[in-house]
Amino acid sequence: MRILYGVQTTGRGHLVRARALIAALKARGHEVHTLFSGPPVETVWLDAVFEPWTVREGLTHISIDGRVSYLATARRLRLLQLVRDVQRFDAGGFDLVISDYEPISARIARRVGLPSIGVGHLYAYAHRVPMAGHNLLNHAVMRRFAPVDMPLGLHWHHFGQPILPPMILPDVPAPADVTEDGPVLVYLGFESLDAVTALLGGLRDTRFRIYTRVDAPRQLGNLELMPIDRTRFLADLVRARGVICNTGFSLVSEALHLGKRILTKPVRHQTEQESNAESLEQLGLATVCRTLDARTITTWLDSPVPVPMHYPDVMHAVLAWIDERQDRPLQALADMLWSQVGGIRPDLLRPSALSASPLACAQTGP
């Protein structure tokens, strides 16, 4: 098949997942054209796997010091340009569109009548799952941002819906290789680096390795600042004493898969991250807080080590399902994958709609 693959570049989880899937699709004999939209992508994230590709502005949100700025986001909206990009893209010869929550490719599929599949965590919100600040506007935006015919949503629980487990990529080491002899791993890409280093630098008895936008490693007392590098990051994740991060889906999933302590701070006013925080609290999988402080961190570091989730090989199950031309019902695919995950709580099958009440720091167990 000739596939148009749309990738949303807000956050790096979309890029990492798409790269692995595109490489696998090409290895299976498919021809893939990548369409990127969202914030500009650093060259370190791009390589020949994505070729050929097209870049468009698309839609995204703007975060400032750990919270979404509605005013800055509104100023960046280019809705007329989005319409032009959808109308002007030559979709001739494509057989299928796959969207990793990318709005232009999804709308191209609608315009020309191509079948479309959505792969990613945000497509779980096509179903009834926990959502923070649940209201008609939030729900409509999340469902209509990148609409597809067949949403393959990924989540930490199925909630009684045709949702798949997290997609752990082939470059993530096996849980059997995990140790706890490394520093605490920190990835807070939406926070002020000065504020993060000031806080963590005061905890002099604990080593922290912070992945951030620096050109070369830098030592600041008990802190080590590291440039973004996925291979090295995963090596550190396997050895980490714990992970401190914002509440995106991919890193949290990898930490759960490996059985790592997680301390997570959702980006304020970002519906996905606040909804992820709701789910993690409800499932008892992480420590969630609105603000980071020394007391919360030290209490969290003394918490028990969680049991690894050992998620199954979702990626190759999805690839086989695509090659089968989606003949198997999605619910059957979901049931097959969840049967390989332990510790699924039956009392969480039907979550109620959740309010947007502030999250207190709360220690939860596995």
Side-chain angles (χ1 to χ4, degrees):
M1 285 189 291
R2 188 163 183 246
I3 300 170
L4 175 62
Y5 201 118
V7 185
Q8 164 67 249
T9 61
T10 303
R12 298 301 173 248
H14 302 278
L15 286 162
V16 172
R17 178 172 52 244
R19 185 189 185 282
L21 279 166
I22 289 170
L25 286 165
K26 289 182 175 180
R28 287 170 174 252
H30 300 293
E31 183 181 345
V32 183
H33 183 105
T34 310
L35 194 159
F36 295 111
S37 79
V41 181
E42 300 96 329
T43 55
V44 68
W45 293 98
L46 299 177
D47 58 32
V49 170
F50 291 112
E51 295 177 347
W53 69 61
T54 299
V55 178
R56 295 292 181 265
E57 185 171 357
L59 302 172
T60 190
H61 66 267
I62 307 299
S63 295
I64 301 174
D65 293 340
R67 68 173 64 192
V68 171
S69 169
Y70 293 126
L71 180 59
T73 297
R75 287 173 174 169
R76 275 282 301 271
L77 288 178
R78 302 288 187 272
L79 295 179
L80 286 178
Q81 186 60 51
L82 176 76
V83 172
R84 293 189 193 103
D85 290 338
V86 172
Q87 295 294 328
R88 294 173 181 175
F89 189 88
D90 182 5
F94 287 102
D95 303 297
L96 175 69
V97 171
I98 300 177
S99 172
D100 195 319
Y101 210 60
E102 193 289 308
I104 297 175
S105 59
R107 285 168 172 79
I108 289 170
R110 293 288 176 94
R111 176 176 68 85
V112 300
L114 283 172
S116 58
I117 298 171
V119 180
H121 170 56
L122 285 155
Y123 285 109
Y125 293 95
H127 306 284
R128 190 163 176 256
V129 301
M131 179 179 287
H134 182 80
N135 59 51
L136 291 177
L137 178 60
N138 281 349
H139 196 72
V141 169
M142 294 187 78
R143 288 180 65 107
R144 296 177 184 274
F145 186 84
V148 294
D149 301 330
M150 184 65 68
L152 302 189
L154 312 172
H155 214 314
W156 302 307
H157 194 281
H158 52 71
F159 300 106
Q161 308 291 327
I163 295 168
L164 309 184
M167 186 178 291
I168 305 301
L169 302 180
D171 60 347
V172 177
D177 298 328
V178 168
T179 68
E180 280 213 314
D181 57 357
V184 176
L185 189 59
V186 181
Y187 184 61
L188 291 164
F190 293 101
E191 308 296 321
S192 162
L193 180 60
D194 289 342
V196 171
T197 55
L199 170 63
L200 300 182
L203 300 171
R204 300 184 184 278
D205 294 334
T206 303
R207 292 185 301 137
F208 297 92
R209 182 164 290 170
I210 305 170
Y211 276 81
T212 187
R213 292 180 177 85
V214 293
D215 295 328
R218 290 166 48 194
Q219 194 74 39
L220 299 174
N222 62 320
L223 312 181
E224 187 175 8
L225 274 57
M226 300 293 295
I228 303 298
D229 180 314
R230 177 157 172 87
T231 300
R232 189 162 185 175
F233 183 90
L234 289 175
D236 286 337
L237 178 60
V238 169
R239 298 178 52 242
R241 185 178 171 190
V243 178
I244 301 176
C245 59
N246 293 122
T247 322
F249 183 72
S250 296
L251 174 54
V252 170
S253 297
E254 291 165 353
L256 291 173
H257 178 67
L258 296 174
K260 294 294 178 179
R261 299 179 186 89
I262 301 168
L263 175 60
T264 185
K265 175 184 178 292
V267 175
R268 293 191 65 185
H269 309 311
Q270 214 273 24
T271 302
E272 179 198 1
Q273 293 220 358
E274 295 198 343
S275 297
N276 287 346
E278 294 276 9
S279 293
L280 289 168
E281 285 196 308
Q282 190 178 129
L283 295 167
L285 293 175
T287 299
V288 177
C289 62
R290 283 288 189 184
T291 58
L292 289 170
D293 58 67
R295 185 175 181 180
T296 298
I297 294 170
T298 53
T299 301
W300 164 72
L301 284 171
D302 290 334
S303 65
V305 178
V307 176
M309 294 300 292
H310 291 281
Y311 293 119
D313 190 350
V314 175
M315 188 181 86
H316 284 94
V318 167
L319 290 166
W321 182 81
I322 291 172
D323 281 345
E324 293 165 3
R325 302 285 178 153
Q326 305 95 59
D327 288 339
R328 192 186 337 178
L330 184 54
Q331 185 66 66
L333 176 64
D335 290 344
M336 182 271 290
L337 290 168
W338 283 111
S339 70
Q340 302 174 49
V341 181
I344 301 302
R345 289 171 52 184
D347 58 313
L348 293 169
L349 296 183
R350 295 286 183 269
S352 59
L354 298 173
S355 69
S357 58
L359 293 173
C361 290
Q363 179 66 46
T364 55

